[in-house]
Amino acid sequence: MSGYKHLTHEQRVLVEDRLNHKTSIRKIALELEKAPSTVLREIRNHSLFVPTIENDCKHKRNCNLKNVCGDALCSNKCYTCHSKCTKHCDCYEKALCPKLETSPYVCNGCKKINGLCTYDKTVYYAIDAQKKYKSLLTSTRSGFDISEQELEKINTLASPLIINGLSPYHIKQTYADEITISEATLRRMIDKNALDAKNIDLRDKVKRKPRKHSEISPLSTAKVGHFYGDYLKYIEENDVCVTEMDCVEGKKGENVALLTLTIPSLSLQLAFIMEYQNSSCVVEALDMIETALGTELFSQVFPLILTDNGSEFSDIKGMETSCITGSKRTSIFFCEPNRSDEKGSCENHHKMIRYIIPKGASLEPYVQADISLMMNHINSYKRKALFGKSAFDLATAVLPMDFFILLGLEIIPPNEIILRPSLLK
């Protein structure tokens, strides 16, 4: 049987069609590769109830009562007044269709469904079923696990500042003790209109296109638990340093490539030369770094790695597993397809590599010592975006000194930095 518990819209269309042709629940389930109980539950939960406008009293055929409602001007028998007598008659008993008491418990396929039936109807329509399913799915995932008092407090503190142009990050830093939810949750509350501040009050929100959510391909089952949505949930629940991983290609057609590791919070980028741009060389490069640093320091600096969907990053277990202890050394997550902006810091830092090794230039003449020299110059470069600091200035204030010593990282004096191809010539 299929491992997916939820029915798709196409499957619901098939259910409606088979019900209209009086196919049994068991045969429908067999065709969908689902359990019969799943199909039956789908029909019961998502069918549409259509009340009758006719008189549905079970005694109407033998009823001769008049003026039950007290209208002296009416001379008709009460059962001809459609449903009026049901409100006044003590003898009224609702008539139920006996067919609805047996499988499949809906009126699909009944010849009398189009106007000849006087019973309440229960009909399964695929379109309505899909709408009910989506509505329920949304409502069960849109709540926030906070009290009304907490929500009011967050609204009072955050909304005026957001309307004044301040970011949720700034607000979270300012009121870290009062606002106990994460920045991501605060943004979701704004997006769900739970606060007075709206998306239009956020500077960047209105400029971004909505993210496209694609269906998970059966070919991507190995990445279940490692998708971008899982990454967002993980960083919301865990306060960890994020590293972005990517590859830089050289001349078209050659095998050599660079594996880059970027720590966005420090603007620090490392690069390691690989003989081939494939999964085994990526694992080999990570193993080399772990061997140099030790498992404990490796896991401390690189607890979470975000990368793209390239085939060179397909060996998830190899990348996550320590080559020394066999335990888990890091957590690997993937961006959504064609969304390089989700690891934008890594992409932006590649521009500085291209200052020294232009795009299309061969990487074959270089060894790791050349690449390390290049990255030392890049990481020693003082940048306006870092308020006159270099990446090394930030990193040395946070990371253990062993990290720099064991990887052979050196600070280049400001007046000796070269960001031209001549550096490696």
Side-chain angles (χ1 to χ4, degrees):
M1 290 185 183
S2 172
Y4 300 103
K5 296 180 180 179
H6 297 244
L7 268 65
T8 64
H9 178 62
E10 290 75 14
Q11 290 173 322
R12 289 187 168 91
V13 171
L14 186 144
V15 171
E16 180 185 350
D17 179 72
R18 298 301 183 265
L19 289 175
N20 291 339
H21 289 84
K22 297 185 178 181
T23 306
S24 69
I25 296 293
R26 189 169 295 279
K27 288 185 178 180
I28 296 174
L30 189 64
E31 189 171 356
L32 291 176
E33 296 184 348
K34 300 285 184 182
S37 59
T38 300
V39 178
L40 187 58
R41 189 162 50 247
E42 164 68 21
I43 294 171
R44 283 181 169 175
N45 292 343
H46 298 141
S47 292
L48 180 67
F49 175 73
V50 183
T52 182
I53 60 172
E54 301 294 332
N55 189 305
D56 59 352
C57 179
K58 63 170 25 179
H59 305 300
K60 67 179 182 180
R61 295 183 181 276
N62 302 315
C63 180
N64 294 313
L65 296 177
K66 295 182 180 180
N67 297 325
V68 172
C69 63
D71 185 358
L73 299 178
C74 180
S75 59
N76 297 326
K77 291 183 178 180
C78 291
Y79 77 86
T80 62
C81 295
H82 299 291
S83 60
K84 284 185 179 181
C85 68
T86 62
K87 302 175 183 178
H88 306 283
C89 184
D90 295 332
C91 299
Y92 168 75
E93 288 186 60
K94 187 177 183 66
L96 300 175
C97 179
K99 292 183 179 180
L100 291 179
E101 297 177 2
T102 59
S103 179
Y105 308 101
V106 287
C107 299
N108 296 64
C110 180
K111 296 180 181 179
K112 297 182 179 181
I113 192 172
N114 296 320
L116 299 176
C117 178
T118 59
Y119 296 111
D120 290 341
K121 302 175 185 64
T122 302
V123 191
Y124 183 87
Y125 294 121
I127 293 178
D128 289 308
Q130 184 70 9
K131 287 180 179 178
K132 285 184 178 180
Y133 162 74
K134 285 290 186 181
S135 176
L136 179 62
L137 196 65
T138 301
S139 63
T140 54
R141 293 180 178 178
S142 60
F144 302 100
D145 189 18
I146 57 176
S147 65
E148 289 293 334
Q149 292 77 12
E150 290 175 309
L151 178 60
E152 182 60 32
K153 181 180 179 180
I154 293 170
N155 186 41
T156 302
L157 292 174
S159 289
L161 299 181
I162 293 171
I163 293 171
N164 285 340
L166 303 184
S167 69
Y169 175 81
H170 173 89
I171 295 168
K172 176 61 181 171
Q173 297 302 312
T174 305
Y175 294 107
D177 295 332
E178 290 87 350
I179 299 179
T180 55
I181 60 173
S182 66
E183 179 194 350
T185 302
L186 181 58
R187 289 184 178 274
R188 284 193 291 111
M189 293 176 73
I190 297 170
D191 189 55
K192 297 295 183 182
N193 296 319
L195 304 180
D196 292 338
K198 308 300 178 187
N199 280 332
I200 197 170
D201 297 314
L202 297 174
R203 293 186 185 277
D204 298 330
K205 182 72 175 181
V206 293
K207 298 178 183 178
R208 297 175 184 164
K209 294 181 179 179
R211 181 179 294 129
K212 295 181 180 179
H213 296 277
S214 56
E215 293 288 335
I216 297 176
S217 168
L219 298 177
S220 302
T221 53
K223 294 181 181 178
V224 171
H226 300 272
F227 291 108
Y228 193 72
D230 303 309
Y231 159 75
L232 294 177
K233 183 179 179 181
Y234 187 90
I235 61 174
E236 183 176 341
E237 296 174 351
N238 300 274
D239 185 17
V240 295
C241 177
V242 176
T243 299
E244 297 175 356
M245 182 167 66
D246 203 357
C247 281
V248 174
E249 299 176 349
K251 187 177 181 179
K252 190 174 181 179
E254 70 178 17
N255 297 320
V256 182
L258 298 180
L259 178 71
T260 62
L261 295 171
T262 307
I263 304 177
S265 58
L266 302 176
S267 290
L268 180 72
Q269 185 169 73
L270 308 177
F272 303 91
I273 198 161
M274 300 188 298
E275 186 177 358
Y276 297 97
Q277 188 178 345
N278 58 29
S279 59
S280 61
C281 285
V282 169
V283 173
E284 185 179 317
L286 294 176
D287 289 347
M288 179 193 68
I289 299 170
E290 184 191 6
T291 302
L293 297 178
T295 305
E296 183 178 353
L297 183 54
F298 181 96
S299 299
Q300 180 184 348
V301 179
F302 307 113
L304 184 153
I305 297 176
L306 177 67
T307 187
D308 58 34
N309 293 271
S311 59
E312 65 270 27
F313 303 122
S314 58
D315 188 358
I316 300 174
K317 184 176 180 180
M319 292 186 290
E320 288 190 334
T321 305
S322 168
C323 64
I324 300 174
T325 65
S327 59
K328 187 173 182 179
R329 63 186 173 191
T330 187
S331 296
I332 300 292
F333 293 95
F334 296 90
C335 300
E336 293 181 347
N338 303 314
R339 289 299 303 271
S340 59
D341 58 296
E342 290 174 346
K343 53 179 181 64
S345 180
C346 180
E347 301 290 345
N348 287 332
H349 280 77
H350 287 172
K351 295 177 182 178
M352 303 191 75
I353 294 178
R354 293 306 186 187
Y355 293 163
I356 302 169
I357 305 178
K359 191 172 184 178
S362 175
L363 293 172
E364 290 185 347
Y366 306 121
V367 295
Q368 183 58 44
D370 298 320
I371 303 305
S372 296
L373 175 65
M374 173 181 68
M375 300 314 298
N376 284 340
H377 279 252
I378 290 174
N379 289 321
S380 299
Y381 181 59
K382 296 185 183 296
R383 308 175 202 175
K384 187 177 181 180
L386 302 181
F387 301 98
K389 300 287 186 180
S390 69
F392 274 156
D393 290 335
L394 300 181
T396 52
V398 176
L399 299 178
M401 190 53 61
D402 287 350
F403 174 79
F404 301 92
I405 297 173
L406 295 172
L407 290 182
L409 305 179
E410 298 179 4
I411 298 176
I412 307 298
N415 60 336
E416 296 180 15
I417 295 174
I418 299 174
L419 297 181
R420 296 284 186 184
S422 58
L423 172 66
L424 301 182
K425 291 182 179 180

